[in-house]
Amino acid sequence: MSATSKAEGLGSVAWWGFSPAIDLIETYSGFFDSLSIDSVTVLIAGGSDSRHILQTVSNAVGDSNLVQTYFILDSALEVYARYMLQIYIAMEQEDRFNLQEKTELFLELFGNTMIREFTATYLRHVATEFIKYRIELIYVYTDYRITTSFEDSTKCLQFMNMMHLRFRERDVLESIFKFWREKDENIFNIFKCWDYRLRRHLGTRYDAIPNVFDWDCSITLHDRQADQIDSREYSWWRRRGVAFELRPADYTVSNRCLASGKPFRNSKGENTVYWGYWGDITCSPYLAFGITTSMYPELAKKVNGRRSYGATTISEVNVRSLLWRLGHGCKCPLKVAAPFCIDNSRDTSEPEQDVNAPSDLSHDAPVSGPSLAVQDSGESTVTSPSTEESTTSISVKFHLLANSYYSFVALLYYIHNGSAKKPTDASLDARLEEKPYAPLKTKNQFGVKYLPLNSFTELSSRYRSLFVGDGRKPIDIVYMGCSMSHLLDDEKLVARRNYSKETSTKDETETMWTDDNTGLVSILNNRALLIVESVLYMVELRPAEVEAYVERITKSALRLGFRLTKKPEPMKDHHLYFVHDRANVESK
């Protein structure tokens, strides 16, 4: 397969990462002592989504009061907008959306090309909030033209600090949010965009679609320790772009937060920007949350050599657990995260469910008080314990009845009893107006700051004052996504050293080397960690290409002044880890 075809499959913008979510602070603690520090500064370049931020913040349990500051840098403003949207959903209070609703909203907007009308209404509402209230748009007239000012950031949310963005970038962000608010499906039909990309990518192989998709999943992904992804769900996503169908509903609205512009040259030689879906169509969004079962080993169960739970279910459990930990500051019990695979003998050793946990995700055992039934209409109905069937969400019941002969009949019963009412814009708008948005109070304080696009090579020069100086904190962790890892080869990141002569009191000439305060290491802490995302799960890359990528990244990191923590295993490691060592900086 040609390089052009591989690039066509990955797209020009990365909507999600190509590796599992990791706890950055826990990873840092594995190499350095983090107990003696009270704040951590993290630079995420090319992360593509907020999975690492949410995973790190949600895992902050115990008495830790570590202040976390994240600097985000990417190549597309649409990615910045999705960062804000994902963290906004994760920080929703449970009095506005219960745990199951938040999980569904997050995953649908994260990896689905088609979403429910309920989710589309929420997206339009959030876009309006970003424009009117949260970003604090203040229009001022300067030289007879309208600009957008973000100088008054006192009312901005902690995860929406855009003080460092250029004014033009802020204006483009506003236009992106306005695009999210539109309802006309004729302007942006993502299904047609997906089909166009698919036909262009596969070419003559389009007629062999079932076999092509099955090969990429069963042979490539499964051989690279991603066998949690079932070939059927992977093929369904490759064909239509819908990864997460967590309830029996109509997914008929285009997901506008997956739209971006791409320049093309027409027959006249003029550049024209076309809006469409220009993201990944080969790797899948399952990689972010759907291939890790370390927190809940029950999900790794196999029957006759096959996984009992696919990547869709694992993603739902991991995201539900993540959102629960954000609000409660402790480990999520199995009865909340995955009630459908709970073991009675194991449940006795599980921690008790928090009294504030949503009762719709509790175990099927009878409870002594009223519970809330999850409804797609945006309303919460109090039910008595005798109506046990209506207290469990459609999503959980769907998993419980998936292998039952009467699953379809049972599903119709739940729909008939009102557990899956058709959503209405009015009910959701009324709920959102009644309860204004207020972010969760997390265990540890954290903030997210957005840097200008493609400014990674200028951080040590033009933006040096953000990390070095009075009241500034150097970077402790640098995370590089594979979409921007090529920037590690840039000469601007290499620390140069000046040759100078100084005369001692004994008139003896001594040769001394002094740092020129340049390069990436000049804005790093003395003990810094570099994490680089691998290309292990890119299905169209051969093993030799994965090994070549790891070798190139290793050479670049050593050249910048880092050293390997362990010998890399290209066909097993989804991340590469390096620690900062000034002795490895090349002399120039």
Side-chain angles (χ1 to χ4, degrees):
M1 182 177 294
S2 64
T4 303
S5 179
K6 295 177 182 178
E8 176 67 26
L10 294 175
S12 60
V13 57
W15 292 128
W16 43 74
F18 302 115
S19 60
I22 60 175
D23 186 342
L24 300 176
I25 304 299
E26 182 181 0
T27 304
Y28 182 85
S29 302
F31 302 102
F32 305 109
D33 181 18
S34 61
L35 298 178
S36 59
I37 59 177
D38 55 0
S39 63
V40 173
T41 302
V42 181
L43 171 65
I44 300 180
S48 304
D49 58 52
S50 62
R51 67 191 188 282
H52 300 310
I53 298 177
L54 296 177
Q55 184 76 1
T56 304
V57 176
S58 64
N59 282 354
V61 298
D63 298 329
S64 174
N65 293 317
L66 195 65
V67 179
Q68 305 172 20
T69 303
Y70 297 90
F71 287 89
I72 307 301
L73 196 155
D74 221 291
S75 58
L77 290 170
E78 292 86 356
V79 176
Y80 284 2
R82 278 173 57 87
Y83 263 100
M84 302 172 196
L85 174 64
Q86 292 165 14
I87 302 178
Y88 187 92
I89 297 174
M91 301 297 287
E92 282 274 11
Q93 296 277 3
E94 290 187 5
D95 59 353
R96 292 204 342 155
F97 294 94
N98 58 43
L99 186 59
Q100 182 63 20
E101 287 177 320
K102 287 173 60 177
T103 303
E104 293 171 357
L105 285 173
F106 185 94
L107 287 176
E108 282 184 39
L109 292 171
F110 179 81
N112 279 10
T113 55
M114 306 298 292
I115 57 179
R116 295 172 293 148
E117 182 61 38
F118 177 84
T119 308
T121 303
Y122 177 79
L123 178 62
R124 290 190 289 267
H125 172 81
V126 173
T128 302
E129 288 286 293
F130 283 171
I131 294 174
K132 288 185 177 180
Y133 308 111
R134 304 308 173 190
I135 306 180
E136 293 299 322
L137 293 179
I138 304 174
Y139 292 100
V140 295
Y141 287 88
T142 305
D143 297 332
Y144 302 102
R145 60 187 178 89
I146 297 179
T147 60
T148 308
S149 174
F150 291 80
E151 299 303 326
D152 184 12
S153 61
T154 56
K155 297 182 181 180
C156 287
L157 297 176
Q158 58 186 354
F159 51 84
M160 294 183 63
N161 189 330
M162 291 173 284
M163 293 288 293
H164 308 301
L165 292 181
R166 304 180 182 95
F167 285 99
R168 177 175 58 86
E169 294 171 339
R170 302 171 186 177
D171 293 337
V172 174
L173 267 177
E174 181 187 355
S175 66
I176 293 173
F177 296 141
K178 289 182 178 179
F179 177 78
W180 288 2
R181 295 190 305 180
E182 297 180 5
K183 296 183 179 181
D184 191 354
E185 287 292 314
N186 295 325
I187 296 178
F188 177 65
N189 189 326
I190 197 170
F191 181 74
K192 291 183 178 180
C193 297
W194 184 277
D195 187 66
Y196 166 80
R197 290 279 313 284
L198 192 62
R199 292 176 181 272
R200 181 179 176 85
H201 172 62
L202 294 179
T204 57
R205 298 186 300 157
Y206 185 84
D207 295 333
I209 271 183
N211 298 330
V212 173
F213 296 164
D214 183 69
W215 177 275
D216 289 342
C217 182
S218 302
I219 303 300
T220 305
L221 288 176
H222 289 184
D223 287 350
R224 300 180 184 182
Q225 291 81 45
D227 58 339
Q228 297 86 350
I229 303 177
D230 186 79
S231 60
R232 290 167 295 182
E233 62 184 354
Y234 176 79
S235 298
W236 178 254
W237 173 80
R238 286 286 299 267
R239 188 66 183 89
R240 302 182 61 86
V242 179
F244 307 105
E245 293 182 273
L246 304 183
R247 65 168 62 210
D250 295 329
Y251 293 79
T252 57
V253 184
S254 297
N255 186 359
R256 286 180 170 265
C257 73
L258 289 179
S260 62
K262 184 178 180 180
F264 288 89
R265 188 179 298 273
N266 57 22
S267 58
K268 298 181 180 180
E270 301 173 348
N271 289 330
T272 304
V273 177
Y274 289 92
W275 277 77
Y277 179 83
W278 305 112
D280 167 44
I281 60 172
T282 57
C283 297
S284 85
Y286 298 125
L287 299 174
F289 299 102
I291 62 175
T292 303
T293 59
S294 57
M295 187 167 292
Y296 301 102
E298 294 82 0
L299 298 175
K301 178 182 177 182
K302 289 186 178 182
V303 177
N304 297 327
R306 295 179 62 90
R307 295 273 184 177
S308 298
Y309 305 102
T312 301
T313 303
I314 296 175
S315 298
E316 180 183 2
V317 171
N318 286 333
V319 171
R320 185 187 295 127
S321 173
L322 183 152
L323 298 177
W324 195 91
R325 297 196 308 270
L326 278 175
H328 296 80
C330 59
K331 183 179 179 181
C332 181
L334 180 65
K335 64 175 66 177
V336 176
F340 51 85
C341 66
I342 197 166
D343 187 344
N344 291 331
S345 61
R346 173 182 170 83
D347 185 48
T348 57
S349 61
E350 285 291 322
E352 293 295 329
Q353 182 178 352
D354 191 277
V355 294
N356 296 322
S359 57
D360 61 286
L361 292 173
S362 60
H363 187 42
D364 285 339
V367 292
S368 58
S371 60
L372 294 178
V374 177
Q375 296 187 7
D376 201 16
S377 62
E379 301 175 355
S380 298
T381 305
V382 180
T383 59
S384 62
S386 60
T387 59
E388 179 183 354
E389 299 293 343
S390 62
T391 62
T392 308
S393 69
I394 282 290
S395 177
V396 175
K397 282 297 181 183
F398 184 76
H399 288 295
L400 290 171
L401 300 171
N403 297 322
S404 173
Y405 178 79
Y406 298 101
S407 60
F408 180 70
V409 178
L411 187 60
L412 292 179
Y413 171 79
Y414 291 117
I415 295 176
H416 177 72
N417 281 272
S419 295
K421 296 180 180 179
K422 185 177 181 179
T424 59
D425 293 355
S427 61
L428 178 59
D429 291 337
R431 187 207 305 190
L432 297 175
E433 291 179 2
E434 179 183 357
K435 300 176 181 178
Y437 181 84
L440 287 171
K441 294 183 179 180
T442 56
K443 191 74 175 180
N444 288 350
Q445 180 182 354
F446 78 100
V448 181
K449 302 179 180 181
Y450 299 88
L451 298 174
L453 296 179
N454 301 315
S455 59
F456 182 75
T457 58
E458 299 179 338
L459 293 180
S460 59
S461 55
R462 186 174 182 179
Y463 302 99
R464 180 183 179 83
S465 60
L466 298 178
F467 311 102
V468 179
D470 296 337
R472 304 297 183 180
K473 179 72 166 56
I475 300 174
D476 299 289
I477 304 173
V478 178
Y479 181 91
M480 292 292 296
C482 56
S483 62
M484 299 187 71
S485 60
H486 62 281
L487 296 178
L488 293 175
D489 296 331
D490 197 287
E491 288 292 334
K492 296 180 181 179
L493 301 180
V494 180
R496 302 182 181 275
R497 314 187 86 182
N498 290 331
Y499 174 78
S500 63
K501 290 185 177 181
E502 293 186 5
T503 304
S504 65
T505 55
K506 297 182 180 180
D507 293 331
E508 294 180 357
T509 302
E510 295 182 356
T511 302
M512 300 187 63
W513 294 94
T514 58
D515 289 334
D516 196 21
N517 290 329
T518 60
L520 180 62
V521 295
S522 65
I523 58 175
L524 300 183
N525 202 341
N526 292 331
R527 298 186 301 176
L529 176 66
L530 171 64
I531 306 174
V532 183
E533 184 181 36
S534 180
V535 293
L536 175 64
Y537 300 117
M538 292 187 179
V539 296
E540 295 180 336
L541 294 185
R542 299 177 180 178
E545 295 174 304
V546 177
E547 294 173 358
Y549 172 86
V550 172
E551 182 180 358
R552 180 177 63 84
I553 293 299
T554 302
K555 291 181 179 179
S556 300
L558 295 176
R559 183 165 170 261
L560 295 178
F562 295 88
R563 62 178 175 84
L564 272 171
T565 58
K566 69 179 185 67
K567 184 178 180 180
E569 299 180 73
M571 301 311 297
K572 292 184 179 180
D573 298 335
H574 48 72
H575 285 98
L576 307 174
Y577 302 96
F578 307 88
V579 293
H580 174 44
D581 186 359
R582 294 183 183 273
N584 286 337
V585 179
E586 289 186 355
S587 300
K588 294 292 183 180

